[in-house]
Amino acid sequence: MAGAFSTLSEADSKALVAAHGIPVPREHLASTPADAARAADELGYPVVVKLCGDAIAHKTERGLVRLGITSAADVESAASELLAAASPEDGDVQVLVAPMLRGTRELIAGLNHDPQFGMTVMLGIGGILAESIADVTFRLVPIDRVDAEEMIDDLAAQTLLGPFRGEPAVDRERVMDVLVGLSRAAEADPSIVSVDLNPLIVVDGVPIAVDALVEVALVEVQR
């Protein structure tokens, strides 16, 4: 696949996948520290505050994420630090304020272009186990719910999908919604080059995309 590519901001990436039925947290964008604090008050604490912009793809590596903030004053401080950390190359930026979601299990899902076969949907075990067990599965776009169910069954770590550490089993129907939604997004928008939902935190059995990164083609490309 050849062409010029760009990434969408986290907020725009989430809006794109949410339009295809993928659960995302209720979040707010803020341009000033005071706006960020008001957003946090509305969402309820604790919250996560991140720097958000089209050119910011690797927030964690750059220290552009603040977790578990429990007061408006601390949100203002974190937002001030993040906005000051933006570089000229980052372009226009805001801060994204989101609820701090917790779960003992994480999944990863996305869209990836295989140079030989074309666009694929991916599902895997995420979190600290992702690199150690490399438990992932792929299907070619388009997929239906039968394909999505088979992808879930393909994962080796099935015990992580059942009741786990006092939490209910992962809602397989909701995971299927995510996978089929990704497939539909790829079909609906040929400019999509890749989608990375990492992590999908499992909250009360439901996978929620707490981070998303969509890469799009700036010019028409041949798949």
Side-chain angles (χ1 to χ4, degrees):
M1 176 181 267
F5 309 130
S6 178
T7 57
L8 302 183
S9 71
E10 179 178 343
D12 288 342
S13 295
K14 285 177 173 172
L16 187 152
V17 299
H20 294 279
I22 295 168
V24 300
R26 180 169 169 253
E27 302 175 330
H28 292 299
L29 281 170
S31 298
T32 68
D35 287 342
R38 283 190 286 271
D41 285 341
E42 181 181 341
L43 290 169
Y45 296 93
V47 296
V48 178
V49 180
K50 311 176 188 181
L51 194 65
C52 184
D54 289 344
I56 301 173
H58 303 289
K59 297 179 289 295
T60 302
E61 292 87 339
R62 289 181 54 191
L64 301 179
V65 179
R66 301 289 187 273
L67 302 173
I69 303 176
T70 57
S71 72
D74 288 342
V75 168
E76 286 203 42
S77 177
S80 295
E81 292 173 3
L82 292 173
L83 291 168
S87 68
E89 292 76 20
D90 291 330
D92 293 333
V93 297
Q94 294 175 286
V95 289
L96 186 66
V97 184
M100 181 81 182
L101 300 182
R102 301 182 185 276
T104 58
R105 293 164 293 181
E106 295 181 4
L107 301 172
I108 54 175
L111 293 170
N112 296 282
H113 186 268
D114 182 279
Q116 182 174 358
F117 298 107
M119 189 64 77
T120 63
V121 180
M122 181 272 289
L123 173 68
I125 299 298
I128 60 173
L129 298 174
E131 293 185 4
S132 61
I133 64 176
D135 192 0
V136 296
T137 181
F138 297 87
R139 290 292 189 282
L140 287 174
V141 170
I143 68 168
D144 58 21
R145 296 189 74 80
V146 173
D147 299 316
E149 186 172 19
E150 289 176 352
M151 291 179 70
I152 299 169
D153 290 339
D154 282 349
L155 296 177
Q158 290 293 312
T159 55
L160 290 176
L161 303 180
F164 189 78
R165 295 184 178 178
E167 296 183 2
V170 174
D171 188 330
R172 290 175 178 248
E173 293 291 332
R174 300 299 291 272
V175 178
M176 285 188 272
D177 289 343
V178 170
L179 299 175
V180 173
L182 286 168
S183 179
R184 289 174 178 166
E187 290 185 278
D189 188 348
S191 74
I192 293 175
V193 176
S194 67
V195 175
D196 186 19
L197 306 180
N198 185 15
L200 288 160
I201 294 182
V202 179
V203 181
D204 295 328
V206 178
I208 300 176
V210 298
D211 200 356
L213 181 64
V214 175
E215 186 179 30
V216 296
L218 297 178
V219 295
E220 185 176 351
V221 294
Q222 183 66 43
R223 286 186 174 175

